[in-house]
Amino acid sequence: MELRCRGTLLPALAPPSSRGLQRYATKLKLHYSSKRRLPCLKTSEDFTTSSSTLASAANARIENELDREEQEQTALLEALKQWKTQVAWTKFETMTKKLGVLPDRVCVSRLVAQLCHQGTAASVSKAQQIMVELRQKRKVSELVDCDAMGLLVMASARVGTAHYSLGVLRTMLELGYHPPVKVWSAVVSKLGKNVDDAQLALKVFDEVCQCVVEQGMIQLHRKMERMKPDTGAFNAALNACANIGNLERAEQLWELMPAFGVKANTLTFNVMIKLYARVEKLDKLEQILHTMADADVDPDATTFNSLVAAFVGLGELSLAESIVQSLRGEGEHQKRVPALLPKLREHSAKFQPDVRTYTTLMKGYVQHNRVSDAMQLLVAMQQEKTSAAMPNEVTFTTAIRACAKMGLLDEARVILQEMATQKVAANVVTYNTLLQGVCVFPITDMKRALEIVEDMKEAGVELDVVSYNTLINGYLEAGDNEQALAVFTRMREAKVPASKVTYGTLMKAFARSGRTELVVKVFTQMALDPRVRVDVVAWNTLIDAYARAGLEQDATRALEDMKSRGFSPTNATYNTLVKTYGRSRNFGQLILLWKEINARSVEEDSAAVRDKPLVVGALKPDAALLDSLIDSFVRGGYFQLALQVVDCMDRQGIHSGRAKAKYKRLYVELYANLYTSRHTSERRKSKTAERRRAVEAFKFWVGLPNSLYKSEWRPFE
């Protein structure tokens, strides 16, 4: 008899040998005789009958299990054919958890694909669970096809798990799959939108392009050619460059486009406008329309809005006004923008300023305190005939921000009423703008802030993290720490996730007021919050709180804990500890700290400083840190170490003119009579020769009379 199991043959059980039967009978006899529950088998016929029965039972059990597996897999496949994804997921769990088997390649691939098609975070998470289980059992290549993995990559990127998408993408490349460009470019696009992940996005782009070139896919058949980067992929990579302001890398990508037969489109140039604005390339912005014309690419409304936003961000309001007036056909009198103006006139008939254009210009007026111009623009928008230019909630919110910034809170409330008249619903951003006005300018008015909160509740607008952060900051500015903590508690009860700003604001305020226990409490909650990542600023605030409270050992332990978790101390971290050790005259710890700083320090003209960010572990000490070190060493009489810090200051190119005057006075106050006795023995002089030389060198540096005026001093190693 032969049994079939998922496409494989299972041979029938062979009859047991006579020697095997004897050993088996002996075990049964010993077992049951000791239990005294069943009679011992005595004859060979009994042995043969028993073994045949066991073999039959085993075969029957295996047949039943195989039938159950086949039934479950059939039901799973039928559910997938009918797109009953939840039923299919239940059948999959039954097979894997209860039966301990995996479905075939068709079922697994279709289940992963359907879960990804649903597009929800829960369904994509289930698909990811399948991949994790298959990876643990090393069955990914056997049970998941290329298309299903590609769908998982894109779905994971859409729900915000870009790093998981990257892992699946690299698995595809390792297995020799050729993911289509729309699959891997989705990872590049998602990573590139985050400043922290933009470099990783560019690395993924380079890896795929290198894979394409190495395997010669540019000239291979259509199936492999689908992996080649297209315009969308290059746009995603250029957007990553724009977010981190890497113009050199963007220009390299621009030069690489023809090698893959890719041409720039309108979105490409819009991304470049964003990049030029970030790196403040005004000349490039003025020439961008001519560059688009040379490339035979037409601009769109987003192009002009991006130009207005770029000029506003650079503080060039006259250029932004020129674009708006030219599009309106009113730019004949403008004298600036000789390169940009002719092209603007060509497109003025096709494109008209919309609400986004006007609102962006209004934001520029607000940033430069031109409140009257902002209000006039709001009135002009309301008089526009086209609905595309009518003010929306963003426009009104910008006008409210202008009033709040100037302290015109009553006028801001009038604009809020005008929104209701125009039937434009105020959103949480609008109310947050009002809250910021009463919680910051000029004296915190928490009574009015609570009135605004009540208005929000009446309008059915729920407070968000910015609302709570503003209230917390307002109470802290008013000196009411208990109410600030109460707002934080209400925030957690409302299940509004706290941000870094929330935790950072509370910690800094509690540290300033000497409430170290509250700083530690907030820091602990931040560390336990899975949505927030503790950063260097939080560690610095914790160390500063310990230092303010005189808890030197706790501050030292926090520093070691910070380093053990992979965070590099900054100048602020070291400066806090230097002052702490200096006040307590703990020069042992201070010397160890200086050695660490000196080991991490890099010179001003070194490659580590020129290439941003700094290499891992490198540090560029600032003037404040080095000044604190010199002050502490001089007060402790460690002139050799003080001179080492002076040498570091010179290497960093930090001017020390004011510092010399300060330490000249300090030396006169503390050490005016140091080594001035004429009765010192030669033996004692020889013992203190190195220290005496350091003192003379220090006096030489600050400009006091010394024995080294005719020679140069060298820093002590």
Side-chain angles (χ1 to χ4, degrees), residues 228 362 426 436 590 646 671:
K228 287 170 49 180
M362 184 184 293
Q436 291 166 359
L590 184 61
V646 169
Y671 306 105

Side-chain angles (χ1 to χ4, degrees), residues 72-83:
E72 291 293 337
Q73 178 152 303
T74 302
L76 171 60
L77 183 59
E78 189 64 28
L80 290 170
K81 289 180 179 179
Q82 298 177 12
W83 282 85

Side-chain angles (χ1 to χ4, degrees), residues 218 228-231 234 256-263:
I218 296 178
K228 287 170 49 180
D230 59 4
T231 305
F234 273 97
L256 187 63
M257 292 174 72
F260 290 95
V262 175
K263 294 183 179 181

